[in-house]
Amino acid sequence: MADFRMPSLGADMTAGELVAWLKQPGDLVRKGEVIAEVETDKAIAEIESMFTGVVERLLIETGAKVPVGTVLAVIRTEGPEEEAPAPTVSPPAPERRRAAGGRAARTPAAGRLRVSPVAQKLADEKGVDLAGITGSGPGGRIMVRDVEEAIARAQAAPVPPAAPADRALRMRQGIAAAMSRSHREIPHFHVESVIDMNRAVAWLTEENKQRPVARRLIYGVLLVKAAALALKKVPDMNAVWSEDHVELRREIHLGVAIALAGGGLVAPAIHNTDTLALDELMARFRDLVQRARAGRLRSSEMSDPTVTVTNLGELGAESVFGLIYPPQVALVGFGRLTERPWSVEGRVEVHKVIHASLAGDHRAVDGYRGSAYLAEVERLLQEPEKL
Amino acid sequence: MNDQEMREKVLIVLVELAPEVDVHALRPEVRLRDQLDLDSMDFLNFLIGIDEQLGVDIPEADYPHLATLDSIYSYLRRKLAELPTEKSS
């Protein structure tokens, strides 16, 4: 048997509402197949099963909002009992919000949580219900910062929580929580490089001349592919920060920042970005943008990004100095594609250039490596035909 | 295809692209990108939609002619006139 739990779809997610079950008891479900739909502050996500097996029981009814880690269903698998790999806590009770003040009862559910002593003390003092908190420490251990964030959320968000119609407000609150954590915890450094795009743009123009409109590429795809390939050369950027150490990620899943109509953004992953040919990458990117704006992302796309890429140049920004989305340790920014005088073997020519920046988490990586990363992005973009 | 049908098909493509916008309220002389917050992916999707609706595959070199609704209509009028009759009807 395996527990299918409410997944964490980002650092800012503490709970999700079960919108629909797409499988019923007795149905076969394969690993990676969509089994349920969950609404978060940002979108409705299609939740994929981490197991192959037969649905044994559904434990949560549609419409219920439950904390991350709650067991939603039991799946009968062959072989030994399985545990979902995501670090989660497992309080089965529906989410309860509690205003700060008053002592928190230590329920049996709370006894199953992994909590640091200092975090427990703070929770007791402030009356915080630990059952609704996702631990950011090793193995889902609840740390002091998690409790502090829960207090801040409780103070910021009046009870009852915002109605579904207030999606934009809730998204803003989710972004606020993640970015506040980023600003508070991550010692950022920024490095920037101006990259010659003449070759890349000329290659793309020629390439697109030969393609029907439905198969054309945009230059942003070249940037994403270069950003992914450069991580193979500087793999220490492809990592997450966990408590007090960095954990490298072997697979490269670039998150791409996508602005949403009505405000806000999401940054879902394009899985195995470095391995995709440009045509495939373009197709995935198009599909991702359309589904993101329709609110139809999949759980793995929301939870798996290892590095995020943001391209604000199309709106006119020349440079981007972003905040890292925790627990990632790097964010790559691209600015406007523009023309400027460029020195070539003693001559001055007009070249197309772009500002590329890297925000790095100084706990995990250093500016030297950040600079090496941007140099590799630049090198890759000088040979666009090899991307 | 007459001019009115062509315009309606262009607006159908825009509705799919930006369902939250009242496309009939767009100002035809103002850059679409400024009115609809279009990025390059949106613009490419617009062109793909035009190809699907009208059978006009617009080359990249002609993108500068497609800044406003007025210029799009004008461009498509010319292109549709160049197509064989059976494709433009």
Side-chain angles (χ1 to χ4, degrees), chain A residues 11 28 82 92 95 120 135 144 152 203 208 227 266 271 317-318 376 383:
Chain A
L28 174 68
E82 295 186 53
E95 180 188 55
Q120 182 70 62
V144 168
W203 178 85
N208 279 343
V266 290
H271 288 101
E318 190 161 83
E376 180 64 4
E383 299 179 318

Side-chain angles (χ1 to χ4, degrees), chain A residues 204-205 208 211-214 216-218 261 282 285-286 289-290 293 314-315, chain B residues 20 33 37-42 44-45 47-48 51 56-60 63:
Chain A
L204 189 64
T205 301
N208 279 343
R211 293 166 173 257
V213 65
R216 278 180 211 151
L217 306 171
I218 58 172
M282 181 71 194
F285 199 0
R286 272 190 75 205
V289 170
Q290 288 175 343
R293 290 179 177 162
E314 297 199 30
L315 296 174
Chain B
E20 72 282 4
R33 190 168 277 219
D37 258 352
L38 299 181
D39 60 20
S40 56
M41 185 71 85
D42 296 323
L44 183 61
N45 284 330
L47 298 177
I48 292 170
D51 185 30
V56 177
D57 187 340
I58 301 172
E60 208 173 54
Y63 289 1

Side-chain angles (χ1 to χ4, degrees), chain A residues 321-360:
Chain A
F321 299 98
L323 288 180
I324 298 165
Y325 190 73
Q328 297 167 37
V329 302
L331 177 135
V332 184
F334 290 106
R336 178 161 48 108
L337 184 67
T338 186
E339 292 183 338
R340 76 159 42 172
W342 197 259
S343 174
V344 180
E345 297 175 353
R347 302 185 313 278
V348 177
E349 299 178 353
V350 176
H351 277 215
K352 294 185 187 306
V353 300
I354 198 167
H355 286 246
S357 68
L358 177 93

Side-chain angles (χ1 to χ4, degrees), chain A residues 47-356:
Chain A
I47 308 299
E48 300 145 303
S49 174
M50 295 173 187
F51 317 101
T52 294
V54 174
V55 177
E56 181 76 14
R57 292 190 305 280
L58 304 179
L59 303 178
I60 301 295
E61 293 182 5
T62 56
K65 186 173 184 179
V66 296
V68 167
T70 301
V71 179
L72 302 176
V74 176
I75 297 174
R76 187 169 70 246
T77 58
E78 293 188 1
E81 188 166 310
E82 295 186 53
E83 181 65 26
T88 57
V89 293
S90 55
E95 180 188 55
R96 291 163 289 170
R97 278 178 191 251
R98 187 182 295 217
R103 186 177 175 85
R106 292 198 186 214
T107 64
R112 295 168 57 190
L113 300 175
R114 300 184 63 194
V115 188
S116 83
V118 182
Q120 182 70 62
K121 182 171 183 293
L122 180 62
D124 288 345
E125 288 173 359
K126 300 294 184 182
V128 175
D129 184 359
L130 292 172
I133 297 178
T134 304
S136 62
R141 187 179 173 88
I142 296 174
M143 312 303 292
V144 168
R145 62 169 176 268
D146 301 320
V147 178
E148 290 173 341
E149 285 177 10
I151 294 169
R153 279 196 300 274
Q155 291 172 338
V159 178
D166 295 330
R167 169 72 60 78
L169 172 63
R170 291 191 293 147
M171 170 171 282
R172 209 62 254 166
Q173 290 171 336
I175 293 171
M179 293 298 97
S180 297
R181 177 181 164 191
S182 174
H183 192 259
R184 187 173 61 248
E185 295 181 4
I186 299 177
H188 284 74
F189 70 84
H190 291 91
V191 287
E192 184 186 31
S193 182
V194 181
I195 294 178
D196 182 0
M197 290 290 287
N198 253 23
R199 288 194 186 91
V201 172
W203 178 85
L204 189 64
T205 301
E206 285 305 307
E207 189 68 22
N208 279 343
K209 277 183 187 172
Q210 304 161 29
R211 293 166 173 257
V213 65
R215 289 194 56 241
R216 278 180 211 151
L217 306 171
I218 58 172
Y219 81 91
V221 167
L222 303 185
L223 302 178
V224 170
K225 185 67 185 289
L229 288 175
L231 289 170
K232 296 174 77 171
K233 183 78 175 286
V234 190
D236 26 348
M237 303 286 174
N238 197 55
V240 296
W241 182 257
S242 179
E243 184 66 6
D244 60 357
H245 64 284
V246 66
E247 294 178 359
L248 298 182
R249 292 285 185 260
R250 193 179 53 189
E251 295 178 317
I252 294 170
H253 306 314
L254 278 198
V256 287
I258 299 170
L260 303 178
L265 80 161
V266 290
I270 299 175
H271 288 101
N272 302 299
T273 325
D274 57 313
T275 67
L276 301 175
L278 289 176
D279 282 326
E280 177 65 15
L281 181 55
M282 181 71 194
R284 298 262 194 106
F285 199 0
R286 272 190 75 205
D287 175 58
L288 200 60
V289 170
Q290 288 175 343
R291 285 191 293 108
R293 290 179 177 162
R296 309 300 303 180
L297 293 171
R298 299 188 185 115
S299 52
S300 61
E301 291 165 340
M302 296 176 76
S303 61
D304 288 352
T306 52
V307 173
T308 293
V309 176
T310 180
N311 180 2
L312 295 178
E314 297 199 30
L315 296 174
E318 190 161 83
S319 302
V320 183
F321 299 98
L323 288 180
I324 298 165
Y325 190 73
Q328 297 167 37
V329 302
L331 177 135
V332 184
F334 290 106
R336 178 161 48 108
L337 184 67
T338 186
E339 292 183 338
R340 76 159 42 172
W342 197 259
S343 174
V344 180
E345 297 175 353
R347 302 185 313 278
V348 177
E349 299 178 353
V350 176
H351 277 215
K352 294 185 187 306
V353 300
I354 198 167
H355 286 246

